[in-house]
Amino acid sequence: MRALALFSGGLDSTLAMKLVVDQGIEVIAVNVNTGFGSTKDRLEHMQSMCDQIGAKLEILDLREEYLDEVLFDPKYGYGKTFNPCIDCHGFMFRYTGKLLEKYDASFMISGEVVGQRPMSQNKEAMGNVVRLSEHDDLIVRPLSAKVLPITKPEREGWINRDKLMDITGRSRARQLQMVKDIGLENFEPPAGGCLLTEINFSKRLEDFVKNDKMEIDDIDTLKFGRHLRLPDGAKLIVGRHQEDNNKLKETKSKKYDKARILDASGPLCLLQKDASESDKQLATKIIITYGRTELDKEYEVTYGSYSLKDTRMEDKASIAKYLI
């Protein structure tokens, strides 16, 4: 018997898999990459969690499908920010369900807990997720199974319902006790785990889609640096530190020119390629301001195949009105 698990790398999904593995069922942990999971590379952490509980890890890249099918037109709407949680979970189950035959798996599991999150993990919402999944009777939530309707894997004896749990609510006390019991190490503390639930990131995303069409290579540009919308509408992204600089340098988005100060140390920046001349000149001043530069001294900023010279702005407070 084999099961596919929706796996975020978080504690609940890890423990849900452990409950199933302990019944002698092989588990393949499917981490769905929508593009909005984290600013960090979590592959090493996810592999560690799988290794500790005896599951195999697979990454499913669905960034393009997520943009096309979910993010901008969710059937069940958004949460407090730009997070279409119900549609997102249904989407993940639907595509993971398409892999059941490929991996000769019989059912799917997840780490969802009834009542843990008010929008996406109440009984009604979890029922909506099942309907969106198009695999109505093949989804088991091991941590809350005993307070949810019985599913086919339980009815048919593929998995023993008596060995599953009845956790509800926001307390993680029982999960933390499980951590001690099984000796799980280096697990992540409970957290949202999705950038779409973060207010500042959602503001950036909302601003972007008001002004441009989102493509896969644009997603990572929203994760790093200071973001500014200039008067004529151009987008400017300014690296805040070396990590930002490195990430912005790696961007594959064709919407931007990479920019930096030629004759002083400073941030790596991205300026929208179709920026007006006025926005280019303002961007040059802003980039010089954030560099290690002197007041009233002229510096050169390169943008792809062209460059501009200017002096720095008097203070960063004058820049604040452009920040997103």
Short mmCIF file of all heavy atoms in Angstrom, two decimals, residues 6 19 32 36 53 69 77 93 104 128 155 172 209 212 227 233 248-249 262 266 276 308:
data_model
loop_
_atom_site.label_atom_id
_atom_site.label_comp_id
_atom_site.label_asym_id
_atom_site.label_seq_id
_atom_site.Cartn_x
_atom_site.Cartn_y
_atom_site.Cartn_z
N LEU A 6 0.49 15.53 0.71
CA LEU A 6 0.81 16.93 0.49
C LEU A 6 1.76 17.35 1.59
O LEU A 6 1.41 17.30 2.77
CB LEU A 6 -0.45 17.81 0.54
CG LEU A 6 -1.44 17.71 -0.60
CD1 LEU A 6 -2.47 18.82 -0.47
CD2 LEU A 6 -0.76 17.79 -1.95
N LEU A 19 2.24 9.08 11.09
CA LEU A 19 1.13 8.23 11.50
C LEU A 19 0.82 7.17 10.45
O LEU A 19 0.43 6.04 10.78
CB LEU A 19 -0.12 9.08 11.75
CG LEU A 19 -0.13 9.94 13.01
CD1 LEU A 19 -1.34 10.86 13.00
CD2 LEU A 19 -0.12 9.08 14.27
N VAL A 32 4.43 20.71 -3.38
CA VAL A 32 3.97 21.44 -4.56
C VAL A 32 4.59 22.84 -4.55
O VAL A 32 4.37 23.63 -3.61
CB VAL A 32 2.43 21.55 -4.57
CG1 VAL A 32 1.97 22.38 -5.76
CG2 VAL A 32 1.81 20.16 -4.63
N PHE A 36 5.26 30.58 -4.27
CA PHE A 36 5.01 31.52 -3.18
C PHE A 36 5.25 30.90 -1.79
O PHE A 36 4.78 31.42 -0.79
CB PHE A 36 3.58 32.05 -3.27
CG PHE A 36 3.31 32.80 -4.54
CD1 PHE A 36 2.71 32.18 -5.62
CD2 PHE A 36 3.68 34.13 -4.66
CE1 PHE A 36 2.48 32.86 -6.80
CE2 PHE A 36 3.45 34.82 -5.84
CZ PHE A 36 2.85 34.20 -6.91
N ILE A 53 11.34 10.38 9.17
CA ILE A 53 10.12 9.60 9.38
C ILE A 53 9.93 8.51 8.32
O ILE A 53 8.95 7.76 8.36
CB ILE A 53 8.88 10.52 9.46
CG1 ILE A 53 8.75 11.38 8.21
CG2 ILE A 53 8.94 11.40 10.68
CD1 ILE A 53 7.64 10.96 7.32
N GLU A 69 -4.57 29.12 -13.06
CA GLU A 69 -5.82 28.51 -12.61
C GLU A 69 -6.34 28.98 -11.25
O GLU A 69 -7.53 28.84 -10.97
CB GLU A 69 -5.65 26.98 -12.54
CG GLU A 69 -5.28 26.34 -13.87
CD GLU A 69 -5.00 24.86 -13.76
OE1 GLU A 69 -5.53 24.23 -12.81
OE2 GLU A 69 -4.25 24.32 -14.60
N GLY A 77 -12.54 32.73 -3.10
CA GLY A 77 -12.04 34.04 -2.68
C GLY A 77 -10.73 33.98 -1.91
O GLY A 77 -10.07 32.94 -1.84
N PHE A 93 -4.29 19.12 -4.19
CA PHE A 93 -4.81 17.75 -4.16
C PHE A 93 -5.16 17.27 -5.57
O PHE A 93 -4.94 16.10 -5.92
CB PHE A 93 -6.06 17.67 -3.27
CG PHE A 93 -5.77 17.42 -1.82
CD1 PHE A 93 -6.24 18.28 -0.84
CD2 PHE A 93 -5.05 16.30 -1.43
CE1 PHE A 93 -5.99 18.04 0.50
CE2 PHE A 93 -4.80 16.05 -0.09
CZ PHE A 93 -5.27 16.92 0.88
N ASP A 104 1.57 4.31 -8.40
CA ASP A 104 0.82 3.15 -7.92
C ASP A 104 0.39 3.37 -6.47
O ASP A 104 0.53 2.49 -5.61
CB ASP A 104 1.69 1.88 -8.02
CG ASP A 104 0.87 0.61 -7.78
OD1 ASP A 104 -0.35 0.62 -8.01
OD2 ASP A 104 1.48 -0.39 -7.32
N ASN A 128 -14.95 21.74 1.08
CA ASN A 128 -14.81 22.41 -0.21
C ASN A 128 -13.50 22.03 -0.89
O ASN A 128 -13.44 21.88 -2.12
CB ASN A 128 -14.87 23.93 -0.02
CG ASN A 128 -16.26 24.42 0.36
OD1 ASN A 128 -17.26 23.78 0.04
ND2 ASN A 128 -16.33 25.53 1.05
N ARG A 155 -12.68 2.96 5.26
CA ARG A 155 -13.75 1.95 5.11
C ARG A 155 -13.22 0.64 4.57
O ARG A 155 -13.64 -0.45 4.99
CB ARG A 155 -14.84 2.48 4.17
CG ARG A 155 -15.75 3.53 4.75
CD ARG A 155 -17.00 3.70 3.89
NE ARG A 155 -16.70 3.93 2.48
CZ ARG A 155 -16.47 5.12 1.95
NH1 ARG A 155 -16.53 6.21 2.71
NH2 ARG A 155 -16.21 5.25 0.66
N ARG A 172 -0.96 23.34 19.68
CA ARG A 172 -0.07 22.33 19.10
C ARG A 172 0.46 21.38 20.18
O ARG A 172 1.45 20.69 19.97
CB ARG A 172 1.12 23.00 18.42
CG ARG A 172 0.85 23.88 17.19
CD ARG A 172 0.20 23.16 16.06
NE ARG A 172 0.46 23.64 14.73
CZ ARG A 172 0.13 24.81 14.23
NH1 ARG A 172 -0.43 25.71 14.97
NH2 ARG A 172 0.35 25.10 12.96
N VAL A 209 0.24 43.37 -10.16
CA VAL A 209 -0.80 42.93 -11.10
C VAL A 209 -1.68 44.10 -11.56
O VAL A 209 -2.36 43.99 -12.57
CB VAL A 209 -1.66 41.80 -10.50
CG1 VAL A 209 -0.80 40.58 -10.21
CG2 VAL A 209 -2.40 42.25 -9.26
N ASP A 212 0.99 45.30 -14.43
CA ASP A 212 1.65 44.43 -15.38
C ASP A 212 1.05 43.03 -15.32
O ASP A 212 0.28 42.72 -14.41
CB ASP A 212 3.15 44.35 -15.09
CG ASP A 212 3.99 44.20 -16.34
OD1 ASP A 212 3.48 43.60 -17.32
OD2 ASP A 212 5.15 44.65 -16.35
N HIS A 227 10.89 47.84 -2.87
CA HIS A 227 10.12 47.99 -4.09
C HIS A 227 9.53 49.39 -4.15
O HIS A 227 8.89 49.84 -3.20
CB HIS A 227 9.01 46.94 -4.14
CG HIS A 227 9.54 45.55 -4.38
ND1 HIS A 227 9.16 44.78 -5.46
CD2 HIS A 227 10.44 44.81 -3.68
CE1 HIS A 227 9.80 43.63 -5.41
NE2 HIS A 227 10.57 43.61 -4.34
N GLY A 233 5.15 55.42 -13.44
CA GLY A 233 4.68 54.05 -13.42
C GLY A 233 5.72 52.97 -13.46
O GLY A 233 5.40 51.77 -13.35
N LEU A 248 18.55 39.17 -6.74
CA LEU A 248 18.12 40.02 -7.85
C LEU A 248 19.00 39.83 -9.08
O LEU A 248 18.53 39.92 -10.22
CB LEU A 248 18.12 41.48 -7.42
CG LEU A 248 17.10 41.84 -6.32
CD1 LEU A 248 17.28 43.30 -5.89
CD2 LEU A 248 15.66 41.61 -6.81
N LYS A 249 20.26 39.56 -8.86
CA LYS A 249 21.19 39.32 -9.97
C LYS A 249 20.80 38.07 -10.75
O LYS A 249 20.99 37.98 -11.96
CB LYS A 249 22.61 39.18 -9.43
CG LYS A 249 23.67 39.06 -10.51
CD LYS A 249 25.06 38.99 -9.89
CE LYS A 249 26.14 38.90 -10.96
NZ LYS A 249 27.50 38.85 -10.35
N LEU A 262 28.44 52.59 -10.98
CA LEU A 262 29.66 52.17 -11.64
C LEU A 262 30.92 52.53 -10.83
O LEU A 262 31.88 51.77 -10.79
CB LEU A 262 29.75 52.81 -13.03
CG LEU A 262 30.84 52.29 -13.96
CD1 LEU A 262 30.62 50.81 -14.27
CD2 LEU A 262 30.84 53.09 -15.26
N GLY A 266 27.47 49.80 -3.94
CA GLY A 266 26.06 50.07 -3.70
C GLY A 266 25.20 48.88 -4.06
O GLY A 266 25.70 47.80 -4.36
N SER A 276 10.12 55.62 -18.34
CA SER A 276 10.25 56.91 -19.02
C SER A 276 11.59 57.54 -18.67
O SER A 276 12.26 57.15 -17.70
CB SER A 276 9.12 57.85 -18.58
OG SER A 276 9.28 58.20 -17.20
N LEU A 308 23.46 56.55 -16.86
CA LEU A 308 23.11 57.93 -16.53
C LEU A 308 23.98 58.42 -15.39
O LEU A 308 24.38 57.63 -14.52
CB LEU A 308 21.63 58.02 -16.13
CG LEU A 308 20.58 57.75 -17.21
CD1 LEU A 308 19.19 57.74 -16.58
CD2 LEU A 308 20.65 58.80 -18.31
#
